[in-house]
Coordinates of all heavy atoms in Angstrom, one line a residue:
D1131 N -105.3 41.5 39.2 CA -106.2 40.6 38.5 C -107.6 40.7 39.2 O -107.8 40.8 40.3 CB -105.7 39.2 38.7 CG -106.3 38.2 37.7 OD1 -107.4 37.8 38.0 OD2 -105.6 37.9 36.7
T1132 N -108.6 40.6 38.3 CA -110.0 40.8 38.7 C -110.4 39.6 39.6 O -111.3 39.8 40.4 CB -110.9 40.8 37.5 OG1 -110.7 39.7 36.6 CG2 -110.6 42.1 36.7
F1133 N -109.8 38.5 39.4 CA -110.2 37.3 40.2 C -109.9 37.6 41.7 O -110.7 37.2 42.6 CB -109.4 36.0 39.8 CG -109.7 34.8 40.6 CD1 -110.8 34.1 40.3 CD2 -109.0 34.4 41.7 CE1 -111.2 32.9 41.0 CE2 -109.3 33.3 42.4 CZ -110.4 32.5 42.1
R1134 N -108.8 38.3 42.0 CA -108.6 38.6 43.4 C -109.6 39.6 44.0 O -110.1 39.4 45.1 CB -107.2 39.3 43.6 CG -106.0 38.3 43.2 CD -104.7 39.0 43.4 NE -103.6 38.2 43.0 CZ -102.9 37.4 43.9 NH1 -103.3 37.4 45.1 NH2 -101.9 36.7 43.5
K1135 N -110.0 40.6 43.2 CA -111.0 41.5 43.6 C -112.3 40.9 43.8 O -113.1 41.3 44.7 CB -111.0 42.7 42.7 CG -109.7 43.5 42.5 CD -109.8 44.6 41.5 CE -108.5 45.3 41.3 NZ -108.6 46.4 40.3
L1136 N -112.7 40.0 43.0 CA -114.0 39.4 42.9 C -114.2 38.2 43.8 O -115.3 37.7 43.9 CB -114.4 39.1 41.5 CG -114.6 40.3 40.5 CD1 -114.9 39.8 39.1 CD2 -115.8 41.2 41.0
F1137 N -113.1 37.7 44.3 CA -113.1 36.4 45.0 C -114.2 36.3 46.1 O -115.0 35.3 46.2 CB -111.7 36.1 45.6 CG -111.7 34.7 46.3 CD1 -111.6 33.6 45.5 CD2 -111.7 34.6 47.6 CE1 -111.6 32.3 46.0 CE2 -111.6 33.3 48.2 CZ -111.5 32.2 47.4
P1138 N -114.3 37.3 47.0 CA -115.4 37.2 48.0 C -116.8 37.1 47.4 O -117.7 36.4 47.8 CB -115.3 38.5 48.8 CG -113.8 38.9 48.6 CD -113.5 38.5 47.2
M1139 N -117.0 37.9 46.3 CA -118.3 37.9 45.7 C -118.5 36.6 44.9 O -119.7 36.0 44.9 CB -118.4 39.1 44.7 CG -118.5 40.4 45.4 SD -118.9 41.8 44.2 CE -120.6 41.4 43.9
L1140 N -117.5 36.0 44.4 CA -117.6 34.7 43.7 C -118.0 33.6 44.7 O -118.9 32.8 44.4 CB -116.3 34.3 43.0 CG -115.8 35.2 41.9 CD1 -114.4 34.8 41.4 CD2 -116.8 35.2 40.7
I1141 N -117.5 33.7 45.9 CA -117.8 32.7 46.9 C -119.3 32.9 47.3 O -120.1 31.9 47.4 CB -117.0 32.9 48.2 CG1 -115.5 32.5 47.8 CG2 -117.5 32.0 49.3 CD1 -115.3 31.1 47.4
A1142 N -119.8 34.2 47.5 CA -121.1 34.4 47.8 C -122.1 34.0 46.7 O -123.2 33.4 47.0 CB -121.3 36.0 48.1
I1143 N -121.7 34.2 45.4 CA -122.6 33.8 44.3 C -122.7 32.3 44.3 O -123.7 31.7 44.0 CB -122.0 34.4 43.0 CG1 -122.1 35.9 43.0 CG2 -122.8 33.8 41.8 CD1 -123.5 36.4 42.9
G1144 N -121.5 31.6 44.5 CA -121.6 30.2 44.5 C -122.5 29.6 45.6 O -123.2 28.7 45.4
A1145 N -122.4 30.2 46.8 CA -123.3 29.8 48.0 C -124.7 30.0 47.7 O -125.6 29.2 47.9 CB -122.8 30.5 49.2
Y1146 N -125.0 31.2 47.0 CA -126.4 31.5 46.6 C -126.9 30.5 45.6 O -128.1 30.1 45.7 CB -126.4 33.0 46.1 CG -127.7 33.3 45.4 CD1 -128.8 33.7 46.1 CD2 -127.7 33.3 44.0 CE1 -130.0 34.0 45.4 CE2 -129.0 33.6 43.4 CZ -130.0 34.0 44.1 OH -131.2 34.3 43.4
S1147 N -126.1 30.2 44.6 CA -126.6 29.3 43.6 C -126.8 27.9 44.2 O -127.8 27.2 43.8 CB -125.5 29.2 42.4 OG -125.3 30.4 41.9
G1148 N -125.9 27.5 45.1 CA -126.1 26.2 45.8 C -127.4 26.1 46.6 O -128.1 25.2 46.6
L1149 N -127.7 27.3 47.2 CA -128.9 27.3 48.0 C -130.1 27.2 47.1 O -131.1 26.5 47.5 CB -129.0 28.6 48.8 CG -130.2 28.9 49.6 CD1 -130.4 27.8 50.7 CD2 -130.2 30.3 50.2
I1150 N -130.2 28.0 46.0 CA -131.3 27.9 45.1 C -131.5 26.5 44.5 O -132.6 25.9 44.5 CB -131.1 28.9 43.9 CG1 -131.1 30.3 44.5 CG2 -132.2 28.7 42.9 CD1 -132.4 30.8 45.2
A1151 N -130.3 25.8 44.2 CA -130.4 24.4 43.6 C -131.0 23.5 44.7 O -131.8 22.6 44.4 CB -129.0 24.0 43.2
Y1152 N -130.5 23.6 45.9 CA -130.9 22.8 47.0 C -132.5 23.0 47.3 O -133.2 21.9 47.4 CB -130.2 23.1 48.3 CG -130.7 22.4 49.5 CD1 -130.5 21.0 49.7 CD2 -131.4 23.1 50.5 CE1 -131.0 20.3 50.8 CE2 -131.9 22.4 51.6 CZ -131.7 21.1 51.8 OH -132.2 20.4 52.9
L1153 N -132.9 24.2 47.3 CA -134.4 24.4 47.5 C -135.2 23.9 46.4 O -136.3 23.3 46.6 CB -134.6 25.9 47.7 CG -134.0 26.6 49.0 CD1 -134.3 28.1 48.9 CD2 -134.6 26.0 50.2
E1154 N -134.8 24.1 45.1 CA -135.6 23.7 44.0 C -135.6 22.1 43.8 O -136.7 21.5 43.6 CB -135.2 24.3 42.7 CG -135.5 25.8 42.7 CD -135.2 26.4 41.3 OE1 -135.1 25.6 40.3 OE2 -135.2 27.6 41.1
V1155 N -134.4 21.5 44.1 CA -134.3 20.1 43.8 C -134.7 19.2 45.0 O -135.4 18.3 44.8 CB -132.9 19.8 43.3 CG1 -132.7 18.3 43.2 CG2 -132.5 20.5 42.0
D1156 N -134.2 19.6 46.1 CA -134.3 18.7 47.3 C -135.5 19.1 48.3 O -136.0 18.3 49.0 CB -133.0 18.6 48.1 CG -131.9 18.0 47.3 OD1 -132.2 17.1 46.5 OD2 -130.8 18.5 47.4
V1157 N -135.8 20.4 48.3 CA -136.8 20.8 49.3 C -138.2 20.9 48.6 O -139.1 20.2 49.1 CB -136.4 22.2 49.9 CG1 -137.5 22.7 50.8 CG2 -135.1 22.1 50.7
F1158 N -138.3 21.7 47.6 CA -139.6 21.8 47.0 C -139.8 20.8 45.9 O -141.0 20.7 45.4 CB -139.8 23.3 46.4 CG -139.7 24.4 47.4 CD1 -138.6 25.2 47.5 CD2 -140.8 24.6 48.3 CE1 -138.5 26.2 48.5 CE2 -140.7 25.6 49.2 CZ -139.6 26.4 49.3
K1159 N -138.7 20.1 45.5 CA -138.8 19.1 44.5 C -139.6 19.5 43.2 O -140.5 18.8 42.8 CB -139.4 17.8 45.1 CG -138.7 17.3 46.3 CD -139.2 16.0 46.8 CE -138.5 15.5 48.0 NZ -137.1 15.3 47.8
L1160 N -139.2 20.7 42.7 CA -139.9 21.2 41.5 C -139.5 20.3 40.3 O -138.3 19.9 40.2 CB -139.5 22.6 41.3 CG -139.9 23.6 42.4 CD1 -139.4 25.0 42.0 CD2 -141.4 23.6 42.5
S1161 N -140.4 20.1 39.4 CA -140.1 19.3 38.2 C -140.0 20.2 37.0 O -140.2 21.4 37.1 CB -141.3 18.3 38.0 OG -142.5 19.1 37.7
E1162 N -139.6 19.6 35.9 CA -139.4 20.3 34.7 C -140.7 20.9 34.1 O -140.7 21.7 33.2 CB -138.7 19.5 33.6 CG -137.3 19.1 34.0 CD -136.6 18.5 32.8 OE1 -137.2 18.3 31.8 OE2 -135.4 18.1 33.0
N1163 N -141.9 20.5 34.7 CA -143.1 21.0 34.3 C -143.4 22.4 34.9 O -144.4 23.0 34.6 CB -144.3 20.1 34.7 CG -144.2 18.7 33.9 OD1 -143.8 18.7 32.7 ND2 -144.6 17.7 34.6

Side-chain angles (χ1 to χ4, degrees):
D1131 197 281
T1132 54
F1133 182 81
R1134 294 179 182 271
K1135 297 179 181 179
L1136 294 174
F1137 185 73
M1139 295 189 68
L1140 294 176
I1141 296 298
I1143 294 294
Y1146 167 79
S1147 301
L1149 176 62
I1150 296 299
Y1152 172 73
L1153 292 176
E1154 289 191 15
V1155 175
D1156 296 327
V1157 176
F1158 297 108
K1159 301 185 184 300
L1160 297 178
S1161 66
E1162 293 189 0
N1163 295 325

